[in-house]
């Protein structure tokens, strides 16, 4: 189960009705530490998981001096001003080393990746020699040691190649394989239970009655969670009533490290949500100076951590990316990394009122001159999920910004790299 230090508390000096995005993120971060369970897994299973222990190389990469080119291996002591000739006495292929000695005045034909004989230390590319029967004439000036990949030049034995807290990528799997490592120790993947709340919600495949809408939040949540390599528990739609919510939360708290709900945390919602969360755990209701996604419930129920996200479909995604995803990464053992944010000119006018931090949806693109630009996706209502679907980045607009003219520089956070 997840570990929390210390208990979230309502009694503090921060105004829960007006938190900044930064304050909310910091408080969530400060309350969490990584889970303690770990497992030994095979390399393929480890893809996307978080290293619990650093990996130290047991050997050198490359394991022996080898040729970076197809050409001829020679002794640097034999190098003279071009042209000069050497006797070709053999051949080395990748995987089939030349076994004999290479004496003064001799060389061997060598292929890329083949082991350099102990007597040799230099390779001349085949394009720079003229072979003639068993002699080769070098017609370019050479430098001692050229075209040789030295043993251990990539990785030395004892080097830390991957630190604890690293989420393993495809390149990492290859790197580990190159060291002969078949198993690694990773954190156990988090278990996250999630559900939607609302009497108006209809599941896919069910008849859409008058006044109902399809539940989309469980699908966006599923997608965002799956990208984090999480074991997900989809608990379906919970109707707006006390006992159904109680049962769902109790079940989720025993099954999962983290519970995520959507809907039912805004001002207009029945008070039972607050009552129920107070009865079952310690949950704070925050109002964050952001748009979309103002209300957020955060705390602990039983052993599990709880996030109550707002119901509006865009708010769910924005609050997930800003608060839940960093929290899940931290709980899962991943080392903190700063989000990728950079400035680009925005092609259109941006409408905004001062007061809240806005996460407008944007499209990064290259204009006809090949320069990177961003434009907004159009209407920015928190229910317009299409804006998220069209977007490939957030446009980040600080609290005090009160609109921008076309061509202004804006900070963007690309979706690629959000996980
Ligand atoms: P709430 O936060 O429960 O007041 O919901 C805010 C808005 O989001 C309302 O228009 C809801 O109908 C809508 N909404 C809530 N949950 C979902 C959901 N799972 N899928 C789609 N829309 C939702
Ligand atoms: Mg609702």
């Amino acid at each position: 189960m997840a570990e929390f230090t210390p208990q979230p508390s309502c009694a503090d000096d921060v105004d829960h009705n007006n938190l900044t995005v930064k304050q909310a993120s910091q408080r969530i971060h400060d309350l969490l530490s990584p889970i303690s369970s770990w497992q030994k897994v095979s390399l393929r299973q480890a893809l996307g998981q978080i290293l619990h222990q650093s990996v130290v190389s047991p050997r050198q990469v490359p394991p022996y001096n080898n040729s970076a080119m197809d050409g001829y291996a020679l002794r640097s002591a034999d190098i003279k001003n071009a042209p000069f000739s050497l006797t070709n006495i053999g051949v080395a292929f990748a995987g089939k080393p030349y076994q004999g000695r290479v004496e003064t005045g001799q060389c061997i034909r060598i292929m890329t990746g083949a082991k350099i004989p102990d007597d040799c230390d230099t390779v001349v590319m085949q394009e720079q020699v003229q072979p003639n029967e068993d002699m080769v004439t070098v017609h370019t000036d050479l430098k001692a040691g050229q075209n040789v990949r030295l043993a251990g030049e990539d990785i030395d034995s004892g080097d830390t190649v991957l630190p604890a807290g690293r989420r393993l990528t495809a390149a990492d799997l290859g790197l580990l394989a190159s060291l002969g490592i078949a198993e690694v120790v990773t954190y156990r993947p988090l278990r996250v239970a999630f559900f939607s709340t609302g009497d108006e919600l209809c599941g896919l495949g069910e008849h859409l009655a008058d006044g109902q809408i399809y539940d989309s939040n469980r699908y966006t949540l599923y997608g965002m969670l799956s990208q984090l390599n999480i074991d997900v528990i989809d608990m379906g739609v919970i109707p707006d009533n006390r006992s159904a919510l109680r049962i769902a939360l109790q079940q989720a708290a025993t099954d999962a490290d983290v519970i995520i709900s959507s809907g039912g945390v805004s001002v207009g919602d029945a008070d039972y949500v607050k009552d129920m969360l107070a009865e079952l755990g310690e949950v704070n209701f925050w109002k964050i100076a952001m748009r979309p996604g103002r209300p957020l419930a955060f705390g602990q129920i039983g052993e599990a951590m709880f996030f109550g996200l707002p119901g509006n479909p865009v708010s769910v995604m924005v609050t997930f990316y800003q608060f839940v995803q960093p929290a899940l990464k931290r709980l899962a053992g991943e080392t903190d990394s700063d989000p990728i944010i950079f400035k680009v000119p925005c092609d259109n006018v941006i409408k905004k009122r001062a007061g809240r931090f806005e996460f407008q949806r944007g499209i990064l693109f290259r204009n006809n001159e090949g320069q990177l630009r961003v434009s907004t996706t159009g209407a920015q209502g928190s229910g317009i999920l299409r804006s998220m679907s069209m977007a490939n980045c957030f446009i980040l607009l600080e609290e005090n910004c009160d609109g921008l003219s076309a061509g202004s520089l804006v900070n963007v956070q690309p979706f690629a790299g959000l996980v």
Side-chain angles (χ1 to χ4, degrees), residues 196-198 200-201 213-218 237 240 262-266 268-269 295 309-313 316:
S196 299
T197 66
E200 76 280 30
L201 300 178
I213 55 169
Y214 285 117
D215 172 11
S216 57
N217 290 345
R218 274 189 304 128
V237 176
D240 285 322
S262 74
V265 289
S266 46
D269 293 305
L309 307 184
N312 272 310
V316 166

Side-chain angles (χ1 to χ4, degrees), residues 165-419:
R166 162 113 182 156
R167 186 180 292 276
L168 292 170
T169 64
D172 296 339
L173 298 200
L175 183 62
L176 292 165
S178 77
L179 299 172
I181 294 172
E183 285 183 327
V184 285
V185 178
T186 61
Y187 285 92
R188 164 179 69 69
L190 289 182
R191 285 189 283 265
V192 177
F194 61 102
F195 57 84
S196 299
T197 66
D199 284 342
E200 76 280 30
L201 300 178
C202 175
L204 293 185
E206 289 169 19
H207 171 69
L208 197 65
D210 190 26
Q212 288 204 305
I213 55 169
Y214 285 117
D215 172 11
S216 57
N217 290 345
R218 274 189 304 128
Y219 292 87
T220 45
L221 279 171
Y222 170 83
M224 294 186 292
L225 289 167
S226 298
Q227 284 172 310
L228 289 169
N229 210 52
I230 276 170
D231 290 341
V232 293
I233 306 166
D234 182 344
M235 301 184 65
V237 176
I238 309 300
D240 285 322
N241 79 61
R242 212 175 266 272
S243 65
L245 188 64
R246 180 188 286 115
I247 292 166
L249 286 169
Q250 284 172 330
Q251 182 67 50
T254 50
D255 292 348
D257 301 300
V258 179
I259 307 165
I260 302 172
S261 68
S262 74
V265 289
S266 46
V267 188
D269 293 305
D271 274 345
Y272 73 84
V273 177
K274 279 189 187 174
D275 294 350
M276 190 55 49
L277 291 169
E279 176 192 315
L280 296 174
E282 273 207 57
V283 176
N284 298 315
F285 283 81
W286 292 343
K287 284 205 182 69
I288 304 172
M290 68 188 285
R291 191 202 295 268
R294 186 143 205 240
L296 182 77
F298 168 66
Q300 193 173 342
I301 296 173
E303 294 287 299
M305 184 185 157
F306 174 77
F307 284 96
L309 307 184
N312 272 310
V314 183
S315 309
V316 166
M317 296 196 77
V318 171
T319 48
F320 181 92
Y321 279 129
Q322 297 307 317
F323 305 116
V324 185
Q325 191 227 49
L328 294 176
K329 286 184 169 185
R330 184 160 170 76
L331 277 172
E334 189 169 354
T335 310
D336 295 337
S337 55
D338 290 334
I340 297 166
I341 293 171
F342 54 89
K343 277 193 192 313
V344 283
C346 181
D347 259 17
N348 55 284
V349 170
I350 289 190
K351 286 194 210 142
K352 180 183 179 296
R353 261 182 283 160
R356 298 204 227 161
F357 195 113
E358 285 196 16
F359 297 86
Q360 295 204 6
R361 275 74 69 206
I363 302 170
L364 274 169
F365 66 99
R366 286 197 183 276
N367 66 11
N368 292 338
E369 284 81 53
Q371 292 149 335
L372 199 56
R373 291 281 188 273
V374 69
S375 62
T376 64
T377 54
Q380 297 287 317
S382 60
I384 305 173
L385 193 50
R386 195 138 185 267
S387 67
M388 276 302 292
S389 172
M390 287 164 68
N392 59 14
C393 68
F394 286 124
I395 300 174
L396 308 178
L397 302 164
E398 301 278 335
E399 286 88 347
N400 58 9
C401 165
D402 58 358
L404 293 169
S405 50
S408 303
L409 277 182
V410 291
N411 276 321
V412 294
Q413 181 179 15
F415 291 169
L418 262 186
V419 287

